[in-house]
Amino acid sequence: MAIQRMDNVGIVVEDMDAAIAFFVELGMELEGRAEVEGLFADRCTGLDGVHCDIAMVRTPDGHSRLELAKYRSPAVIGAGPRNRPHNILGTHRVMFAVDDIEDTVARLRPHGAELVGEIARFEDSYLLCYLRGPEGIIVGLAEQLR
């Protein structure tokens, strides 16, 4: 057997509470929070002295998760500007299907969300947009048109 499923996507954040609030407002559910440290964490990450707080948020259907991690040690390394363009190498974005894209964007704005471009229509199929969320993460939203 190859794989069973994709378990989660990990995102390193500086402000755990703000990140949790953003994704909960999006519609995800906080599954739990924990503190991680010790030899297993060092071995797994290839870092020395790992001590971090983690929070797991899941989609309402229970099939997808984000693991948010705030490192206490070693210190977080900045990956450059938080307003990186969409075409940068590496992790591109996380996309969510939503019922109402306009409402979702409006609810996320008080949590720091900013549109990267604008809400665009793809044929008669979808309304799509990218917005910048906590820590500069690009979050995609897709509303299927009926």
Side-chain angles (χ1 to χ4, degrees):
M1 177 180 281
I3 63 172
Q4 296 174 358
R5 67 181 180 280
M6 187 179 84
D7 191 67
N8 68 69
V9 172
I11 300 173
V12 175
V13 300
E14 284 184 319
D15 188 337
M16 180 68 80
D17 292 332
I20 291 170
F22 178 89
F23 287 109
V24 166
E25 185 62 41
L26 179 60
M28 298 187 84
E29 300 167 2
L30 178 62
E31 192 170 83
R33 293 178 80 154
E35 198 172 320
V36 175
E37 63 182 325
L39 188 56
F40 84 94
D42 291 1
R43 286 181 174 169
C44 183
T45 62
L47 299 170
D48 292 322
V50 170
H51 185 191
C52 69
D53 299 314
I54 64 167
M56 193 70 74
V57 292
R58 69 172 177 261
T59 54
D61 65 4
H63 295 295
S64 302
R65 291 180 178 81
L66 296 178
E67 180 182 291
L68 307 173
K70 177 181 176 164
Y71 277 81
R72 296 182 188 189
S73 68
V76 173
I77 299 171
R82 291 189 178 176
N83 61 346
R84 295 175 295 207
H86 191 264
N87 61 343
I88 196 162
L89 292 174
T91 303
H92 181 68
R93 54 128 174 93
V94 179
M95 176 73 82
F96 295 95
V98 298
D99 293 328
D100 183 334
I101 200 167
E102 301 258 353
D103 177 66
T104 303
V105 170
R107 287 186 300 103
L108 292 175
R109 280 201 165 115
H111 295 275
E114 298 176 12
L115 283 170
V116 171
E118 59 188 66
I119 297 172
R121 183 184 192 103
F122 176 71
E123 299 176 350
D124 290 330
S125 303
Y126 288 94
L127 291 177
L128 301 161
C129 73
Y130 294 144
L131 52 88
R132 204 170 301 284
E135 315 301 340
I137 301 162
I138 296 177
V139 174
L141 303 176
E143 175 187 338
Q144 187 170 8
L145 300 172
R146 310 272 186 264

